[in-house]
Amino acid sequence: MKNLSAHLPVSRRWLKATGGLFASGVLALAALHAANSPSKPSVSLQFDNKPVNRETLEPASFSKVAKQVSPSVVTVTVEAKARQQRVSRSDEFFGGNDEFFRRFFGLPGQGRIPMQREPAQRGLGSGVIVSSDGYIVTNNHVVEGADRVLVTLQGNRNVKATVIGRDPQTDIAVIKIEGKNYPAIKFADSNNVEVGDRVLAVGNPFGIGETVTTGIVSATGRRAGIGLAYENFIQTDAAINPGNSGGALVDIDGRLIGINTAILTRTGGFQGVGLAVPSVMVRHVVDSLVQNGKVIRSYIGAGVQDLTPDLADSFGLENNLGAVITDVQPNTPAAKAGLKSGDVVLRLDETPVANASGLSFAVSLLKPGTKIKLEILRGGKKQTLTATTAQRPDRYGVNNGGLRGSDDEGENFSSSDVGVLNGVAVTDIDPASRRQLNIPKRIQGALITEVDPDSASARAGLKAGDVILEINQQPVTSAEDAVRLSEEATEKKTLVRLWSNGGTIFAVVDETEEDTSSE
């Protein structure tokens, strides 16, 4: 094992791991939405994409909007048969100890349920009628594991529903009831929603009956880290409680801008942070589920990461708008287009790229086989590449394992005090560690085996099990390379590329503020 910090003073300098994502973020780009719309939609949805009138004074009453929307919002009742082992179910609306209740509504866990026969379960959620022939949108976590689904329409009429398809990656599901002339809601374009817009949430909290609450849009493009692959929520302070899941978030014109999905809370009750899946995403998921039984998404096969201010500075950018390519998978559209790690994508066709999730989500909405133009920054110069999207495989190879630093004897390296990555212990990747950490064969570099817990690196998130791939855009294929490049680096800010948690990220080592004096 090589040690990059053997002779470093007590105050050490270390690398920062920024926690980027592997091409799975979600921020809608309005200019690309039209490219996603199929010529023959499988569900006849009603659209009104005009922005809401923001010059109108707020009315004294929202009763007109409530009367308009309420017939389109339904109660969804689910039943699950008795089972021998614990399953995901939707009894969260009654405060049980189901893991989805804790996940989406923040109740404290009750501990793991032992393997035993469970009684039949019932749960309540909400749904929104989106077509006159009976298609209804709700949340995946409402109907997942259900053996029977009932829909209660306005007037307390119960109708049996069939689950058409579920998309756990966005927490959207489509169910259907037989019949015609149902009061379908009209969709607005959620890309036109702005912070401060007045909104109403309609649903069935706690099973007490249809309820309307009001608030404003608190944020858009919100990522909440609740475990979904695609998070691009509209955040609102309109009260959302257990049972509102799958209900409607509408603008003051009564048009659907989102499906209420989750709240962030420390108490289990509403604390002012509600999250809704935006209508742009809902439209795409609904159409794909009805047409294909699953969601067909495009991809180009490149890992992307947000530009932090430090990364933007390292790439010579004046701001942190854009997405940096962290990894290019072999034989993918990105590889064929000539994309390379370290490229910064600034525009997708004619639309500026705000961040990594915006780029990823915009690509995912396109039809496979769509040609796109990517304006990139490479080596300080702009250029344009053309790629053709492909259908994204149904797999997510995320590795959460970690390798602790070992006490085995190995070759030690004594760095000079002017080097970088001091204190990081590295070794070559051997077959055993490759198997243990599920490191792909194509990944070559220096395996980090130990990180001082009191160091700046540990505070920044660098951990054992990460693989150093590049230092200052110079390839690292072995521990010896990492040692040599760390010695050669003279700047206090160092750009490092890592393989971490199954994906590839960039990080900036900033040693300018570290105290290098010894005790």
Side-chain angles (χ1 to χ4, degrees), residues 235-303:
Q235 180 184 328
T236 179
D237 65 351
I240 297 173
N241 284 290
N244 276 110
S245 284
L249 187 70
V250 301
D251 62 18
I252 58 173
D253 292 326
R255 303 173 302 174
L256 186 75
I257 63 170
I259 295 294
N260 298 322
T261 296
I263 61 174
L264 299 184
T265 176
R266 297 182 184 276
T267 66
F270 182 68
Q271 291 187 295
V273 182
L275 303 171
V277 179
S279 62
V280 165
M281 187 184 296
V282 173
R283 289 163 63 172
H284 175 67
V285 171
V286 168
D287 191 76
S288 196
L289 285 177
V290 173
Q291 271 196 336
N292 310 298
K294 64 178 182 178
V295 180
I296 303 298
R297 295 182 170 94
S298 280
Y299 90 131
I300 60 173

Side-chain angles (χ1 to χ4, degrees), residues 158-470:
N158 292 325
V159 182
K160 184 178 179 180
T162 301
V163 177
I164 300 300
R166 301 185 296 107
D167 184 37
Q169 296 180 28
T170 58
D171 197 30
I172 293 296
V174 178
I175 60 179
K176 191 177 188 304
I177 55 178
E178 295 301 321
K180 298 180 180 180
N181 301 320
Y182 290 110
I185 202 164
K186 185 174 292 185
F187 278 69
D189 188 342
S190 56
N191 287 321
N192 292 328
V193 171
E194 294 185 3
V195 174
D197 286 352
R198 174 66 73 178
V199 292
L200 288 80
V202 187
N204 181 18
F206 302 108
I208 63 173
E210 189 166 273
T211 301
V212 180
T213 58
T214 185
I216 64 170
V217 172
S218 305
T220 59
R222 179 69 77 201
R223 288 173 54 193
I226 62 174
L228 301 180
Y230 290 86
E231 295 187 7
N232 178 41
F233 297 118
I234 297 172
Q235 180 184 328
T236 179
D237 65 351
I240 297 173
N241 284 290
N244 276 110
S245 284
L249 187 70
V250 301
D251 62 18
I252 58 173
D253 292 326
R255 303 173 302 174
L256 186 75
I257 63 170
I259 295 294
N260 298 322
T261 296
I263 61 174
L264 299 184
T265 176
R266 297 182 184 276
T267 66
F270 182 68
Q271 291 187 295
V273 182
L275 303 171
V277 179
S279 62
V280 165
M281 187 184 296
V282 173
R283 289 163 63 172
H284 175 67
V285 171
V286 168
D287 191 76
S288 196
L289 285 177
V290 173
Q291 271 196 336
N292 310 298
K294 64 178 182 178
V295 180
I296 303 298
R297 295 182 170 94
S298 280
Y299 90 131
I300 60 173
V304 290
Q305 178 182 346
D306 287 343
L307 280 169
T308 63
D310 283 342
L311 282 174
D313 183 65
S314 296
F315 287 111
L317 294 168
E318 295 181 355
N319 54 53
N320 59 344
L321 297 179
V324 59
I325 301 294
T326 62
D327 184 47
V328 177
Q329 298 290 317
N331 301 316
T332 60
K336 295 174 183 177
L339 276 172
K340 298 179 180 179
S341 65
D343 290 344
V344 179
V345 182
L346 303 175
R347 301 181 76 88
L348 175 54
D349 289 335
E350 300 303 319
T351 305
V353 173
N355 51 32
S357 57
L359 175 62
S360 299
F361 181 59
V363 170
S364 76
L365 290 182
L366 299 173
K367 294 180 182 178
T370 301
K371 287 187 176 181
I372 58 175
K373 292 182 179 180
L374 300 170
E375 181 184 285
I376 67 169
L377 182 71
R378 177 185 295 172
K381 297 181 180 179
K382 293 182 180 180
Q383 56 181 286
T384 300
L385 302 178
T386 301
T388 302
T389 65
Q391 182 173 328
R392 183 171 184 170
D394 296 327
R395 56 182 172 81
Y396 287 90
V398 178
N399 170 44
N400 294 319
L403 176 67
R404 302 305 304 167
S406 68
D407 294 327
D408 296 340
E409 292 184 1
E411 182 181 358
N412 291 322
F413 171 76
S414 299
S415 69
S416 66
D417 292 344
V418 297
V420 295
L421 307 187
N422 295 296
V424 178
V426 298
T427 189
D428 291 332
I429 305 174
D430 60 23
S433 59
R434 192 176 290 278
R435 287 192 301 270
Q436 181 179 352
L437 296 172
N438 195 26
I439 302 173
K441 292 182 179 180
R442 66 184 181 84
I443 297 297
Q444 302 295 325
L447 177 65
I448 297 176
T449 60
E450 188 176 357
V451 177
D452 186 340
D454 296 324
S455 67
S457 291
R459 292 193 297 271
L462 184 66
K463 62 186 181 302
D466 290 348
V467 179
I468 299 175
L469 305 176
E470 293 179 1

Side-chain angles (χ1 to χ4, degrees), residues 315 341-343 470-475 495 506:
F315 287 111
S341 65
D343 290 344
E470 293 179 1
I471 296 176
N472 286 332
Q473 297 186 300
Q474 298 298 311
L495 182 66
F506 278 96

